Amino acid sequence: MRRLRTTADVQDASDDPMVRWAAQALSSGGAAWAHGDAVAVYAPSLTRRRRLVLSGPAEGVASLLAAHGRGVQLRPLLERPLALEVTSLMPTPWLEDKPFGWMDRSGTLDLPAEAAWLGTPDGVEPLLREANPDSWAWPGEKGVRRWAGVHEGGDLVATAAEAWSSTDVGFMMGVAVRPSHTNQGLGRRICQFVASSLLTLYGTCALFVENNNAPAIAVYRKLGFAYRDVTTLLPAA
């Protein structure tokens, strides 16, 4: 088992966008390790959670989880099929906490018209409270960098944020469309705008999505995103 001390070390050790995304934590109190071809990144504050993001062959991941996976409110995050395999190898039991989805894509994407980055996030919070009150990204929150929007008649009717991006993975969160303006393609338009911008800057764009949110997953798939079933783990009492 070896320590990975820099973001470049993590990038050399893994081509998994989820691990590379988590590597941003190395500049803010995080740590990373490799065991064979498996990699773990400890992120003490990433999208509101203390995370240990893991990827690679199951035996190596199990060793990393055993060495670094315990801690108060720590949430190991990994692909769900890998989690099932890893937990079967662990000497102490782990429980699945909550499955959800990770989606990512690379390449380029056309930049749509009638969407733009907002100079200030005026109107974003009321829109989120109306359309997406469970959003993980909010104006002024640490890690949330900027908001994009679509206006109609001077009113903000759709929004999405760049939040918690790493050096080579842009991250999109906080997607919301005013309920009175649904079924008009605004969700796809705002997501395409943000994704296109982040792909240009970072080469890869990623996001989290609830695994039961079929309409959102369908929109992201149409924009070229691939879905991965992921989960977090909890140590059994």
Side-chain angles (χ1 to χ4, degrees):
M1 196 170 296
R2 66 187 190 279
R3 183 76 176 264
L4 304 175
R5 300 192 177 278
T6 68
T7 300
D9 289 341
V10 175
Q11 292 170 343
D12 288 341
S14 177
D15 60 1
D16 187 331
M18 192 162 67
V19 168
R20 296 164 75 97
W21 167 72
Q24 63 186 276
L26 296 182
S27 63
S28 56
W33 305 268
H35 186 65
D37 292 329
V39 175
V41 178
Y42 167 63
S45 179
L46 188 57
T47 60
R48 301 185 186 176
R49 294 289 187 270
R50 293 180 64 235
R51 300 191 184 277
L52 183 73
V53 182
L54 301 124
S55 180
E59 290 188 1
V61 168
S63 296
L64 290 166
L65 181 60
H68 305 290
R70 299 282 172 168
V72 177
Q73 296 182 337
L74 181 63
R75 294 292 185 270
L77 169 64
L78 63 170
E79 280 197 86
R80 196 177 187 198
L82 175 62
L84 297 176
E85 188 175 359
V86 166
T87 53
S88 71
L89 299 173
M90 301 297 293
T92 55
W94 288 77
L95 302 176
E96 184 176 16
D97 182 16
K98 182 183 179 183
F100 52 103
W102 165 281
M103 301 187 76
D104 63 57
R105 63 153 295 167
S106 57
T108 61
L109 189 61
D110 290 339
L111 192 69
E114 300 178 4
W117 293 109
L118 303 176
T120 61
D122 296 340
V124 169
E125 185 168 339
L127 176 54
L128 288 173
R129 294 199 181 282
E130 180 182 7
N132 186 7
D134 296 326
S135 173
W136 284 45
W138 290 85
E141 186 171 3
K142 184 178 179 180
V144 179
R145 299 185 181 183
R146 54 181 175 165
W147 292 87
V150 176
H151 289 84
E152 287 191 4
D155 294 328
L156 184 67
V157 295
T159 193
E162 177 190 356
W164 297 288
S165 293
S166 69
T167 58
D168 65 345
V169 181
F171 209 67
M172 177 167 60
M173 297 194 77
V175 178
V177 176
R178 193 172 300 281
S180 60
H181 287 69
T182 57
N183 301 315
Q184 298 179 24
L186 293 175
R188 177 169 179 169
R189 188 188 308 171
I190 192 65
C191 290
Q192 183 172 343
F193 174 83
V194 173
S196 174
S197 301
L198 299 186
L199 287 168
T200 298
L201 283 174
Y202 302 102
T204 298
C205 181
L207 56 95
F208 286 140
V209 64
E210 296 293 335
N211 62 349
N212 60 356
N213 192 344
I217 292 171
V219 168
Y220 300 137
R221 287 191 189 278
K222 289 177 182 176
L223 293 175
F225 286 80
Y227 181 91
R228 296 166 63 187
D229 207 20
V230 299
T231 192
T232 52
L233 297 175
L234 293 171

